[in-house]
Amino acid sequence: MACKVVYLACESLPQLPPPHKGFMKTLVLHILGRPPIPLEGEAKSWTLGRSSQNDVAIPDASLSRHHARISLKDGIPYLEDLGSLNGTSLNGERITAPHPLHDEDEILLGQVPIRLGSPSQGPRVRIGVESDASSSAGSIVLPLDRLRAIPNRRSETPETGQLREVIREIQGLSLELLEDSPPEQLLAHLLDRLWTLLKPWRAAVVIQDTKAGLHTVASRGPEGNQPILLSKSLVEAALERKESVLFNVLADNQGLASPSIMSSGITSAMVTPLEHNGVVKGLLYLDSHPPRPAFDEEDLRLASTLAHLATAKLEQARLREAELARRKLDHELDLARHIQQGLLPGFPPEIPGYQLLGNNLPSRQVSGDLFGWWPREDGHWLLALADVSGKGLGPGLLMASLSAFLEAWAERDLPTAELAFYLSKALARHTDGRRFVTAFLALLDPATGGVTYTNAGHNPGFLLAPDGSCLELESQGFPLALLPGQPYGSGTFTLPPGGTLALYTDGITEATDPLDVEYSTDRLKAFLALRVAKPLEAVDAELMADLEAHAQGTPFADDRTLLLLRRV
């Protein structure tokens, strides 16, 4: 039966006229160190900036929280600066009004370069028309079942036939490595192939597990045979010294053969480690018995080769499972981060006569810090900044509980000391006694500038006067949930015109440089004192830049959260 051959060809296609320079089907942002970011969906505009609330969040200190916007108008994209501190440039020119964008435009947001482009596409593929040159004459077509079948050669020598059989088994195992089969099944098939090739008397695969120790996953032997007993020296050779060992029982002078082997009639035995990249997963054992001759060096090489192939597959399967588990965890953490970011407030409210700013930069995907502001029916505003002990998902969940309590109780006419008391008792019911929350609660009367506050074991707040002098607002009680039922104190002050209340978490003051020197409370106080007249957005951006300069690339070990209130 003739077999036809069909060719896939990548042919030259007619050149299409280039599109108009302003025409782009899909906008794609290319940012150094990140994969291309397509601007898709039903939205007609996308914001860019440092805040995670943007459509494209770029965590760089040179950017403002809401830095720029790209909008579609009549199908043409426009770039617009949103009053950023460090400005927006297009092709080297700083822009102050919306400007149309074209393919390959160079954008600079603060100090972050961005290139605008389209998705790259490869050559098109066509099905070519069969010609005389595509005839199957002279071609060899082997279906997969024939590829795996034993070749039938009448004139081959015994040595040639054995070589072909070895190649066939190696080929079959190699093909199986491409399949997604369970590790135990793969090891059992490895033993089956060696059973066919080497015709041992007994064979076994033993896996080394950190929890269960050594355990057998597959074994072969004559019916009714006694258990295989391996000598300790033989196991140590494979597992500890990573040696493949072949020994003749009758000539054994190293004590590798156990008494049971000596009395069983076995003529030779070999063991090889299941090793990949220096890591030993277990061992493979085979022995011979008359009338089969003793194993030789070529038998050992073959067993070791197949064992190495199988171990590579085991390691591949382990890495694949670890990667799937990591992706699942990353997905869950990313979902938790989005939920948590939704708990933080958006743009600051308009409070006549006041400026307000809050910023949170988590050191991990999920933050244990919280800031927020809540209006009360009496016209006062409740401000809060808190830090849950520890890092990761657990503190993030406790932070979510605290946010829910504050949301529910903010409108009650509770003094800050009583609110701290009730929060401490409520949070204690959601912890195991090892978690606590430091918090700073402040109640602002916008009409007078009067502030009542309670510092529950948190860093001292800073009350900065217009001349830069600073009053530290110290703690008045234990952290929340640490000793529930303990009362809290409170303090009062009046925020003068031009005065600033600065609250922060220790992720800022304890940020370290490569020599493990902390940023420190004194440095933060001095930094803020020099900027009492600057806009709060500028203070925030310059502080994050100063932290980056201090860290010099050292990863931030804790979340950085800042809350600023200024009376104008």
Side-chain angles (χ1 to χ4, degrees):
M1 179 177 179
C3 297
K4 294 184 178 181
V5 179
V6 180
Y7 290 91
L8 289 177
C10 299
E11 298 184 346
S12 299
L13 300 177
Q15 294 294 321
L16 298 176
H20 185 270
K21 186 171 171 44
F23 174 80
M24 287 183 289
K25 290 184 177 179
T26 303
L27 298 172
V28 178
L29 302 181
H30 298 272
I31 303 175
L32 186 64
R34 296 177 59 174
I37 303 173
L39 303 182
E40 299 174 322
E42 299 179 357
K44 297 299 182 183
S45 67
W46 301 268
T47 59
L48 302 88
R50 195 179 71 245
S51 171
S52 60
Q53 298 169 351
N54 291 283
D55 299 295
V56 180
I58 307 173
D60 189 278
S62 68
L63 271 66
S64 297
R65 293 189 68 205
H66 303 279
H67 196 103
R69 178 190 294 116
I70 295 177
S71 305
L72 286 178
K73 187 177 298 183
D74 298 327
I76 299 176
Y78 284 80
L79 176 64
E80 174 187 5
D81 184 78
L82 299 179
S84 65
L85 176 66
N86 294 321
T88 300
S89 299
L90 180 63
N91 298 323
E93 298 290 334
R94 188 156 179 169
I95 64 172
T96 57
H99 199 286
L101 292 173
H102 305 102
D103 230 353
E104 302 302 324
D105 273 348
E106 299 287 344
I107 301 171
L108 185 67
L109 304 184
Q111 299 178 5
V112 178
I114 301 175
R115 183 173 58 84
L116 187 68
S118 300
S120 58
Q121 295 183 358
R124 295 180 63 183
V125 178
R126 285 186 172 182
I127 305 299
V129 179
E130 184 179 356
S131 64
D132 293 339
S134 65
S135 168
S136 61
S139 300
I140 299 176
V141 180
L142 291 177
L144 188 58
D145 56 349
R146 284 188 57 193
L147 186 65
R148 292 178 174 176
I150 302 175
N152 182 16
R153 302 285 185 178
R154 296 180 180 178
S155 58
E156 64 187 13
T157 64
E159 292 77 9
T160 304
Q162 183 179 10
L163 178 60
R164 291 185 182 279
E165 188 177 12
V166 169
I167 294 175
R168 179 181 66 83
E169 295 298 335
I170 293 179
Q171 185 183 50
L173 184 62
S174 300
L175 290 173
E176 191 172 344
L177 294 179
L178 302 176
E179 300 174 359
D180 191 16
S181 55
E184 292 79 7
Q185 178 181 323
L186 176 67
L187 293 174
H189 289 180
L190 165 67
L191 217 55
D192 290 338
R193 295 185 186 282
L194 287 171
W195 191 265
T196 301
L197 282 172
L198 300 180
K199 298 177 176 57
W201 187 48
R202 299 179 305 180
V205 174
V206 178
I207 290 295
Q208 185 172 230
D209 190 278
T210 54
K211 295 181 179 179
L214 293 174
H215 65 281
T216 304
V217 295
S219 62
R220 302 288 183 270
E223 186 175 353
N225 190 41
Q226 295 295 320
I228 301 174
L229 299 179
L230 302 181
S231 67
K232 182 179 180 181
S233 56
L234 198 61
V235 173
E236 290 176 349
L239 300 184
E240 297 180 11
R241 299 195 298 274
K242 305 175 186 178
E243 296 174 346
S244 294
V245 178
L246 165 64
F247 66 94
N248 189 311
V249 174
L250 299 180
D252 178 34
N253 57 8
Q254 299 180 12
L256 296 176
S258 63
S260 61
I261 290 180
M262 298 293 293
S263 62
S264 64
I266 294 173
T267 56
S268 66
M270 56 184 175
V271 64
T272 185
L274 299 175
E275 180 269 341
H276 181 69
N277 288 339
V279 178
V280 177
K281 303 292 183 179
L283 61 85
L284 168 68
Y285 170 84
L286 302 100
D287 57 32
S288 63
H289 190 280
R292 194 222 187 274
F295 294 130
D296 56 25
E297 184 177 341
E298 290 303 317
D299 296 330
L300 180 62
R301 289 182 180 275
L302 176 60
S304 299
T305 299
L306 292 183
H308 183 76
L309 285 174
T311 312
K313 175 63 176 181
L314 293 179
E315 182 63 11
Q316 181 188 47
R318 186 193 67 80
L319 292 176
R320 180 172 176 270
E321 290 179 1
E323 176 64 16
L324 290 175
R326 186 191 65 79
R327 289 184 181 182
K328 182 180 179 181
L329 179 60
D330 285 347
H331 175 73
E332 292 175 351
L333 289 175
D334 192 54
L335 179 61
R337 181 179 67 83
H338 282 290
I339 294 173
Q340 188 182 58
Q341 288 296 318
L343 299 176
L344 296 176
F347 292 105
E350 295 288 340
I351 305 178
Y354 295 86
Q355 295 177 356
L356 187 60
L357 178 142
N359 185 20
N360 167 253
L361 291 176
S363 62
R364 301 187 181 186
Q365 286 176 290
V366 180
S367 172
D369 286 1
L370 168 71
F371 73 89
W373 39 72
W374 296 266
R376 301 214 319 192
E377 293 181 352
D378 57 5
H380 294 184
W381 281 85
L382 174 66
L383 310 180
L385 183 138
D387 183 2
V388 181
S389 63
K391 302 175 183 65
L393 190 57
L397 293 174
L398 191 57
M399 175 277 223
S401 297
L402 174 59
S403 176
F405 289 135
L406 284 169
E407 193 73 33
W409 295 344
E411 295 184 359
R412 298 185 183 181
D413 294 332
L414 290 175
T416 56
E418 288 187 33
L419 179 59
F421 177 81
Y422 290 126
L423 287 172
S424 181
K425 293 185 66 176
L427 289 173
R429 294 194 295 267
H430 293 264
T431 67
D432 55 4
R434 293 179 296 177
R435 299 260 184 222
F436 57 85
V437 182
T438 65
F440 196 106
L441 307 174
L443 194 61
L444 168 68
D445 181 357
T448 64
V451 176
T452 302
Y453 70 93
T454 294
N455 184 336
H458 197 72
N459 309 92
F462 295 151
L463 176 58
L464 297 155
D467 61 0
S469 59
C470 179
L471 174 65
E472 296 191 9
L473 308 175
E474 299 288 350
S475 173
Q476 297 144 327
F478 293 103
L480 305 178
L482 184 62
L483 292 174
Q486 289 292 316
Y488 287 87
S490 64
T492 60
F493 63 86
T494 298
L495 192 63
T500 302
L501 172 63
L503 307 178
Y504 57 93
T505 58
D506 55 14
I508 293 178
T509 55
E510 295 179 2
T512 59
D513 65 7
L515 298 178
D516 206 32
V517 176
E518 294 185 349
Y519 189 80
S520 80
T521 302
D522 290 339
R523 178 168 173 175
L524 175 62
K525 182 166 56 175
F527 178 94
L528 295 173
L530 293 174
R531 291 163 176 80
V532 291
K534 283 198 172 187
L536 297 188
E537 283 274 0
V539 175
D540 176 43
E542 291 178 14
L543 175 59
M544 295 307 147
D546 197 44
L547 283 169
E548 293 283 355
H550 171 76
Q552 301 178 47
T554 304
F556 292 99
D558 204 353
D559 310 322
R560 290 155 288 160
T561 305
L562 183 69
L563 181 61
L564 300 175
L565 172 69
R566 177 175 295 164
R567 188 176 184 183
V568 296

